[in-house]
Amino acid sequence: MAKAPRATAPTSTPTGAEPPIPNRERPAEPQPYKASKDELLQFYKEMLLIRRFEEKAGQLYGLGFIGGFCHLYIGQEAVAVGLQSALDGDKDSVITGYRDHGHMLAYGIDPKVIMAELTGRAAGISKGKGGSMHMFSTEHKFYGGHGIVGAQVSLGAGLAFKHKYSGDGGVCMAYFGDGAANQGQVYEAFNMAELWKLPVIFVIENNQYAMGTSVNRASSEDQLYRRGESFRIPGIQVDGMDVLACRGAAETALAWVRAGKGPVILEMKTYRYRGHSMSDPAKYRSRDEVQAVRDKSDPIEHVKKLLEAEGVKEDALKTVEQEIRKIVNEAADFAEQTPEPDAGELYTDVLVETY
């Protein structure tokens, strides 16, 4: 008896389905930024300002001048400085979560008004009503400071939609952490951003521990730059402890987005030296681990060595340190001495318009 013919795989794609795209276009591999000596010195100053500012904020929190929650950026300075140095401050927007002081400083906002906001003073950038977690400045195109984990991602997609709709040429840089990377609204935002080819760079600041759980224990896919693959959003993993690697990645991502190719994800592998917030004793990791990262990968010490190789003397770097400490101390003095808001401020800025 003759055998039945062997079934063969269909030679055409099922109706309505797209054929697989094995070689989908993606951005070029970023290269470390080739900084001049002056640019290196500027990166050093900006990262040192963030470090010393955050150390002072920690002191003021301990003394009771800062209330509520306070999340410090110590250790992550290269990310904000490297990425935001590539942005156009006149048209590009930035939005982040509640670890926001460093991003504001990296965008050139006056340390005095940031510190005054931390202490809840009327001279603060949000009139003392935002505090550590919710400050913003529409003038500087910095849109917060958001306390709801992951909320800033969908808002960032909205900012990018505004850039595209108005044709202003701007790009939104939306930061979030490894903990927020597991939130549902993040993926809704990814889907819309790619469908509409929005000009947005999604920056995952992977500092390894979210609120206190290792990313390896909390995420089934812990290579977070891959999180956009099912939405056809390309991802790039970056050394977030190297300011030149950060700047190089920013330029690659910006070239992709400004060319109208839609969003891109940058996973910045970084590390926070302090706890999640000032109330976190960080018992989920050892002091030896933290010290090992400081010794091997500190972003400020890395640039300091590059400057020394460029012939910048120790005395010059000590002068920079003194200048930065003076700026930070003046900001702290201003924040302690300026008055608190009047009670009537409770009723202002509640609505955009008067009804």
Side-chain angles (χ1 to χ4, degrees):
M1 190 171 83
K3 292 182 180 178
R6 181 181 296 173
T8 58
T11 56
S12 60
T13 304
T15 304
E18 291 185 3
I21 308 174
N23 297 311
R24 191 180 298 137
E25 184 186 8
R26 55 173 289 108
E29 193 65 28
Q31 300 301 312
Y33 181 68
K34 290 179 170 55
S36 67
K37 183 164 75 172
D38 288 343
E39 287 175 315
L40 274 176
L41 190 58
Q42 185 62 30
F43 291 153
Y44 180 76
K45 288 179 179 178
E46 291 179 14
M47 289 194 294
L48 192 62
L49 174 61
I50 295 172
R51 177 74 56 91
R52 299 295 176 249
F53 182 97
E54 295 289 67
E55 289 170 348
K56 179 62 73 172
Q59 293 173 10
L60 294 181
Y61 190 93
L63 293 170
F65 284 102
I66 297 173
F69 292 100
C70 185
H71 306 78
L72 303 181
Y73 202 63
I74 296 171
Q76 300 181 213
E77 297 90 353
V79 176
V81 170
L83 295 184
Q84 288 172 226
S85 66
L87 296 182
D88 184 333
D90 293 327
K91 62 183 181 182
D92 295 331
S93 57
V94 172
I95 189 167
T96 187
Y98 41 71
R99 198 181 307 279
D100 55 358
H101 321 151
H103 304 91
M104 300 193 80
L105 291 166
Y107 228 23
I109 299 174
D110 184 357
K112 288 184 178 179
V113 299
I114 300 173
M115 194 70 85
E117 187 61 36
L118 291 177
T119 58
R121 306 303 170 118
I125 198 160
S126 296
K127 300 182 182 178
K129 296 187 284 187
S132 170
M133 297 171 65
H134 301 105
M135 60 181 86
F136 68 97
S137 172
T138 54
E139 177 189 355
H140 291 88
K141 294 184 171 54
F142 180 85
Y143 294 92
H146 292 272
I148 298 175
V149 176
Q152 71 275 18
V153 182
S154 46
L155 293 173
L159 288 167
F161 182 82
K162 186 269 179 188
H163 287 308
K164 182 167 185 173
Y165 187 79
S166 62
D168 61 16
V171 170
C172 176
M173 186 166 279
Y175 292 88
F176 57 108
D178 48 294
N182 291 324
Q183 293 289 317
Q185 68 264 38
V186 170
Y187 299 95
E188 296 182 45
F190 282 1
N191 189 50
M192 288 188 285
E194 175 58 25
L195 279 173
W196 298 337
K197 299 295 183 186
L198 298 183
V200 56
I201 300 172
F202 294 113
V203 180
I204 305 175
E205 293 194 84
N206 182 1
N207 62 24
Q208 318 295 321
Y209 284 101
M211 286 185 68
T213 303
S214 167
V215 66
N216 311 106
R217 294 178 59 216
S219 298
S220 55
E221 173 54 272
D222 59 6
Q223 301 301 300
L224 303 181
Y225 72 98
R226 296 175 177 167
R227 289 297 185 90
E229 286 183 359
S230 62
F231 303 96
R232 301 188 179 181
I233 300 176
I236 302 170
Q237 194 173 68
V238 186
D239 181 358
M241 304 299 275
D242 181 346
V243 71
L244 300 183
C246 295
R247 173 61 183 266
E251 296 205 342
T252 296
L254 284 165
W256 175 270
V257 173
R258 292 199 199 281
K261 297 179 179 180
V264 66
I265 294 170
L266 297 180
E267 181 195 359
M268 317 304 291
K269 294 296 290 289
T270 185
Y271 197 85
R272 56 173 167 78
Y273 295 166
R274 301 287 185 94
H276 172 68
S277 69
M278 287 297 295
S279 60
D280 173 18
K283 292 181 178 179
Y284 41 82
R285 60 184 183 183
S286 68
R287 291 184 179 181
D288 289 344
E289 177 186 312
V290 179
Q291 191 59 48
V293 175
R294 279 183 175 268
D295 293 342
K296 181 181 177 182
S297 305
D298 186 80
I300 296 174
E301 289 300 314
H302 174 60
V303 173
K304 187 176 181 180
K305 290 175 183 175
L306 294 176
L307 285 168
E308 289 169 348
E310 288 280 346
V312 178
K313 303 297 184 186
E314 182 69 25
D315 287 347
L317 295 176
K318 285 182 179 179
T319 300
V320 170
E321 174 80 42
Q322 292 168 356
E323 292 170 354
I324 295 298
R325 287 189 181 277
K326 183 173 183 290
I327 291 169
V328 170
N329 288 334
E330 288 175 351
D333 291 342
F334 177 78
E336 291 175 33
Q337 295 168 9
T338 192
E340 295 181 354
D342 293 333
E345 277 293 339
L346 284 170
Y347 305 100
T348 66
D349 305 314
V350 177
L351 300 173
V352 174
E353 299 177 21
T354 302
Y355 294 93

mmCIF file of all heavy atoms in Angstrom, residues 222-239:
data_model
loop_
_atom_site.group_PDB
_atom_site.id
_atom_site.type_symbol
_atom_site.label_atom_id
_atom_site.label_comp_id
_atom_site.label_asym_id
_atom_site.label_seq_id
_atom_site.Cartn_x
_atom_site.Cartn_y
_atom_site.Cartn_z
ATOM 1 N N ASP A 222 16.556 39.840 33.340
ATOM 2 C CA ASP A 222 17.317 40.872 34.042
ATOM 3 C C ASP A 222 18.247 41.659 33.129
ATOM 4 O O ASP A 222 18.938 42.567 33.582
ATOM 5 C CB ASP A 222 18.096 40.275 35.218
ATOM 6 C CG ASP A 222 19.084 39.191 34.792
ATOM 7 O OD1 ASP A 222 19.267 38.973 33.573
ATOM 8 O OD2 ASP A 222 19.670 38.554 35.695
ATOM 9 N N GLN A 223 18.270 41.319 31.838
ATOM 10 C CA GLN A 223 18.973 42.154 30.855
ATOM 11 C C GLN A 223 17.939 43.166 30.348
ATOM 12 O O GLN A 223 17.240 42.938 29.357
ATOM 13 C CB GLN A 223 19.539 41.297 29.725
ATOM 14 C CG GLN A 223 20.510 40.227 30.201
ATOM 15 C CD GLN A 223 21.695 40.821 30.935
ATOM 16 O OE1 GLN A 223 22.459 41.619 30.378
ATOM 17 N NE2 GLN A 223 21.868 40.448 32.196
ATOM 18 N N LEU A 224 17.837 44.276 31.057
ATOM 19 C CA LEU A 224 16.692 45.161 30.875
ATOM 20 C C LEU A 224 16.679 45.885 29.531
ATOM 21 O O LEU A 224 15.626 46.359 29.108
ATOM 22 C CB LEU A 224 16.641 46.165 32.030
ATOM 23 C CG LEU A 224 16.566 45.535 33.430
ATOM 24 C CD1 LEU A 224 16.488 46.618 34.495
ATOM 25 C CD2 LEU A 224 15.397 44.577 33.556
ATOM 26 N N TYR A 225 17.814 45.965 28.864
ATOM 27 C CA TYR A 225 17.820 46.614 27.548
ATOM 28 C C TYR A 225 17.010 45.822 26.527
ATOM 29 O O TYR A 225 16.631 46.348 25.468
ATOM 30 C CB TYR A 225 19.255 46.812 27.062
ATOM 31 C CG TYR A 225 19.973 45.543 26.635
ATOM 32 C CD1 TYR A 225 20.043 45.188 25.296
ATOM 33 C CD2 TYR A 225 20.575 44.702 27.568
ATOM 34 C CE1 TYR A 225 20.697 44.024 24.894
ATOM 35 C CE2 TYR A 225 21.235 43.547 27.185
ATOM 36 C CZ TYR A 225 21.287 43.211 25.848
ATOM 37 O OH TYR A 225 21.933 42.062 25.462
ATOM 38 N N ARG A 226 16.705 44.562 26.834
ATOM 39 C CA ARG A 226 15.911 43.723 25.939
ATOM 40 C C ARG A 226 14.409 43.907 26.132
ATOM 41 O O ARG A 226 13.611 43.320 25.400
ATOM 42 C CB ARG A 226 16.248 42.253 26.173
ATOM 43 C CG ARG A 226 17.691 41.881 25.838
ATOM 44 C CD ARG A 226 17.956 40.444 26.224
ATOM 45 N NE ARG A 226 19.310 40.008 25.864
ATOM 46 C CZ ARG A 226 19.884 38.902 26.307
ATOM 47 N NH1 ARG A 226 19.214 38.108 27.131
ATOM 48 N NH2 ARG A 226 21.107 38.580 25.944
ATOM 49 N N ARG A 227 14.011 44.693 27.097
ATOM 50 C CA ARG A 227 12.596 44.771 27.456
ATOM 51 C C ARG A 227 11.711 45.358 26.339
ATOM 52 O O ARG A 227 10.501 45.225 26.384
ATOM 53 C CB ARG A 227 12.430 45.615 28.729
ATOM 54 C CG ARG A 227 12.937 44.943 30.005
ATOM 55 C CD ARG A 227 12.139 43.667 30.299
ATOM 56 N NE ARG A 227 12.512 43.069 31.563
ATOM 57 C CZ ARG A 227 11.950 43.354 32.730
ATOM 58 N NH1 ARG A 227 10.963 44.229 32.787
ATOM 59 N NH2 ARG A 227 12.360 42.768 33.826
ATOM 60 N N GLY A 228 12.293 46.012 25.357
ATOM 61 C CA GLY A 228 11.479 46.581 24.286
ATOM 62 C C GLY A 228 11.383 45.704 23.053
ATOM 63 O O GLY A 228 10.742 46.091 22.062
ATOM 64 N N GLU A 229 11.982 44.516 23.078
ATOM 65 C CA GLU A 229 12.071 43.703 21.858
ATOM 66 C C GLU A 229 10.702 43.326 21.302
ATOM 67 O O GLU A 229 10.500 43.319 20.089
ATOM 68 C CB GLU A 229 12.908 42.457 22.121
ATOM 69 C CG GLU A 229 14.396 42.757 22.211
ATOM 70 C CD GLU A 229 15.241 41.503 22.388
ATOM 71 O OE1 GLU A 229 14.659 40.404 22.453
ATOM 72 O OE2 GLU A 229 16.471 41.637 22.455
ATOM 73 N N SER A 230 9.765 42.997 22.175
ATOM 74 C CA SER A 230 8.448 42.597 21.677
ATOM 75 C C SER A 230 7.674 43.776 21.110
ATOM 76 O O SER A 230 6.641 43.592 20.456
ATOM 77 C CB SER A 230 7.633 41.919 22.781
ATOM 78 O OG SER A 230 7.400 42.796 23.849
ATOM 79 N N PHE A 231 8.170 44.992 21.337
ATOM 80 C CA PHE A 231 7.555 46.185 20.767
ATOM 81 C C PHE A 231 8.382 46.745 19.609
ATOM 82 O O PHE A 231 8.090 47.813 19.094
ATOM 83 C CB PHE A 231 7.388 47.260 21.854
ATOM 84 C CG PHE A 231 6.581 46.800 23.026
ATOM 85 C CD1 PHE A 231 7.205 46.311 24.161
ATOM 86 C CD2 PHE A 231 5.203 46.830 22.987
ATOM 87 C CE1 PHE A 231 6.464 45.864 25.249
ATOM 88 C CE2 PHE A 231 4.456 46.388 24.065
ATOM 89 C CZ PHE A 231 5.090 45.894 25.196
ATOM 90 N N ARG A 232 9.433 46.012 19.236
ATOM 91 C CA ARG A 232 10.354 46.437 18.178
ATOM 92 C C ARG A 232 11.101 47.716 18.537
ATOM 93 O O ARG A 232 11.462 48.503 17.664
ATOM 94 C CB ARG A 232 9.617 46.585 16.839
ATOM 95 C CG ARG A 232 8.945 45.302 16.384
ATOM 96 C CD ARG A 232 8.385 45.412 14.999
ATOM 97 N NE ARG A 232 7.773 44.133 14.596
ATOM 98 C CZ ARG A 232 7.217 43.909 13.422
ATOM 99 N NH1 ARG A 232 7.180 44.876 12.526
ATOM 100 N NH2 ARG A 232 6.708 42.734 13.140
ATOM 101 N N ILE A 233 11.322 47.909 19.828
ATOM 102 C CA ILE A 233 12.134 49.043 20.284
ATOM 103 C C ILE A 233 13.541 48.523 20.568
ATOM 104 O O ILE A 233 13.721 47.645 21.414
ATOM 105 C CB ILE A 233 11.551 49.679 21.563
ATOM 106 C CG1 ILE A 233 10.124 50.186 21.318
ATOM 107 C CG2 ILE A 233 12.442 50.824 22.034
ATOM 108 C CD1 ILE A 233 9.454 50.732 22.564
ATOM 109 N N PRO A 234 14.538 49.047 19.883
ATOM 110 C CA PRO A 234 15.897 48.567 20.131
ATOM 111 C C PRO A 234 16.411 49.014 21.490
ATOM 112 O O PRO A 234 16.025 50.076 21.998
ATOM 113 C CB PRO A 234 16.709 49.204 19.002
ATOM 114 C CG PRO A 234 15.939 50.429 18.624
ATOM 115 C CD PRO A 234 14.486 50.086 18.846
ATOM 116 N N GLY A 235 17.274 48.202 22.077
ATOM 117 C CA GLY A 235 17.856 48.532 23.372
ATOM 118 C C GLY A 235 19.365 48.430 23.348
ATOM 119 O O GLY A 235 19.936 47.631 22.596
ATOM 120 N N ILE A 236 20.002 49.243 24.174
ATOM 121 C CA ILE A 236 21.463 49.268 24.275
ATOM 122 C C ILE A 236 21.830 49.237 25.748
ATOM 123 O O ILE A 236 21.264 49.986 26.549
ATOM 124 C CB ILE A 236 22.051 50.543 23.619
ATOM 125 C CG1 ILE A 236 21.646 50.644 22.151
ATOM 126 C CG2 ILE A 236 23.567 50.570 23.761
ATOM 127 C CD1 ILE A 236 21.981 51.990 21.520
ATOM 128 N N GLN A 237 22.775 48.380 26.113
ATOM 129 C CA GLN A 237 23.268 48.338 27.491
ATOM 130 C C GLN A 237 24.542 49.170 27.583
ATOM 131 O O GLN A 237 25.433 49.048 26.746
ATOM 132 C CB GLN A 237 23.536 46.897 27.902
ATOM 133 C CG GLN A 237 23.736 46.701 29.396
ATOM 134 C CD GLN A 237 23.837 45.218 29.740
ATOM 135 O OE1 GLN A 237 24.794 44.555 29.381
ATOM 136 N NE2 GLN A 237 22.824 44.699 30.440
ATOM 137 N N VAL A 238 24.624 50.011 28.615
ATOM 138 C CA VAL A 238 25.695 51.004 28.715
ATOM 139 C C VAL A 238 26.334 50.946 30.101
ATOM 140 O O VAL A 238 25.647 50.717 31.102
ATOM 141 C CB VAL A 238 25.130 52.434 28.474
ATOM 142 C CG1 VAL A 238 26.250 53.458 28.429
ATOM 143 C CG2 VAL A 238 24.304 52.498 27.191
ATOM 144 N N ASP A 239 27.641 51.168 30.160
ATOM 145 C CA ASP A 239 28.341 51.304 31.440
ATOM 146 C C ASP A 239 27.974 52.649 32.054
ATOM 147 O O ASP A 239 28.495 53.690 31.675
ATOM 148 C CB ASP A 239 29.857 51.209 31.219
ATOM 149 C CG ASP A 239 30.643 51.318 32.524
ATOM 150 O OD1 ASP A 239 30.031 51.506 33.597
ATOM 151 O OD2 ASP A 239 31.887 51.220 32.470
#
